[in-house]
Amino acid sequence: MSDIKAAGFKSSELIAGLDAVFKKYSDAEKQDQIKKTNGIFELQVTNDAKETVTWTIDVKKKGEVYKGKAQPKADVTIILSDDTLIDLASGKTNGQKAFMTGKLKTRGNMMLATKLDAVLKGAKAKL
């Protein structure tokens, strides 16, 4: 088991899957993703037990996913619940709707946050 997963988080599998997809990308695919997205997302996810885990999706420098705070600094921090992240990834909701209904908060480059949907969808297509 990779150290990317967090016990008690349904979205752990999703993040681990995203990590696996990023690791499978060829250099060209990675560069393409980086060119399209050009951002570092820091996800602060809270579960039902009110525990919080931080994952970083770097689609700017290295094209990788890891557990922990963004290094270098995130371009956008997205604060959401475990369930909301699952709904975003499954397409049940989108970032804009989640934001409008208060299920998702952002700090930093809000326009970049809108690209998270595309990153999740792109990776899902590769799973």
Side-chain angles (χ1 to χ4, degrees):
M1 180 161 128
S2 77
D3 61 352
I4 199 152
K5 292 186 183 175
F9 286 84
K10 289 174 265 184
S11 51
S12 257
E13 290 302 322
L14 164 78
I15 297 290
L18 194 61
D19 179 46
V21 168
F22 270 70
K23 285 187 167 115
K24 275 190 247 168
Y25 279 147
S26 67
D27 283 344
E29 286 175 311
K30 227 176 234 186
Q31 288 310 315
D32 188 47
Q33 281 290 330
I34 287 171
K35 210 178 280 156
K36 272 197 292 214
T37 310
N38 189 27
I40 297 174
F41 303 90
E42 186 176 285
L43 304 180
Q44 292 179 1
V45 184
T46 305
N47 67 9
D48 296 338
K50 300 287 177 238
E51 300 164 319
T52 303
V53 65
T54 302
W55 283 296
T56 297
I57 305 170
D58 173 348
V59 205
K60 184 177 193 170
K61 301 262 182 261
K62 297 188 186 112
E64 65 180 2
V65 182
Y66 55 90
K67 191 164 148 192
K69 289 207 169 289
Q71 304 291 338
K73 201 162 103 16
D75 294 299
V76 64
T77 300
I78 300 171
I79 303 146
L80 72 175
S81 73
D82 199 21
D83 291 331
T84 302
L85 184 52
I86 295 286
D87 289 348
L88 278 176
S90 67
K92 251 192 215 155
T93 190
N94 64 39
Q96 194 174 3
K97 198 162 143 194
F99 181 78
M100 293 303 202
T101 54
K103 289 182 178 172
L104 181 155
K105 293 181 174 68
T106 62
R107 284 203 298 261
N109 183 342
M110 197 167 144
M111 287 317 294
L112 187 62
T114 61
K115 290 187 179 181
L116 183 64
D117 281 341
V119 171
L120 292 175
K121 278 188 189 80
K124 210 171 127 197
K126 290 249 181 214
L127 280 177

